[in-house]
Amino acid sequence: GSEALRSGHAQLAIELLTQGLIQLRDANYGPFDPYFEGVLAQAHVATGQARLARSRIEGFMQSRAALDCFCSAELLRQHAKLVVLTGEADKAEALLRAANDLAERQDAVPWKIRVVADLCALLRARERVDEADRLADHAAETIDDALRRRILLPVDGSRSL
């Protein structure tokens, strides 16, 4: 489904992702649900169904006991993108800040990069350029620290896989 959407086949992506999510739920396997719900929302937006996309994400979020799981920061980011389309910039900002906090707690560098980019864009669009710049600087430091922890050898020089 994700590849179909990247290739410009949004309707096919909707069909594949809808079927795949049903299969994942039937198998009680949910770690990737937030990610695929976000991609499904993107596909709905691509077919002009932004309201349906938002409704699906909000329904999914309400059905989960906790959103502190893998890919949840990305789902919150996707939700924010839909919310801003309806002119609810304050709510979108709150969602992006929650996504940023979650990505930071999880040390989820790829999600943090995407969230911060969208949050900075929203702040700049709201003419809060200085705040966006401070956030970008802080995020760059946080991301650099996370990457260093992952790629540098421990102080004692030992290697571990």
Side-chain angles (χ1 to χ4, degrees), residues 70-87:
F70 183 67
C71 301
S72 291
E74 175 64 4
L75 182 67
L76 289 169
R77 185 182 79 86
Q78 291 295 340
H79 188 200
K81 289 172 65 173
L82 293 167
V83 167
V84 83
L85 289 175
T86 59

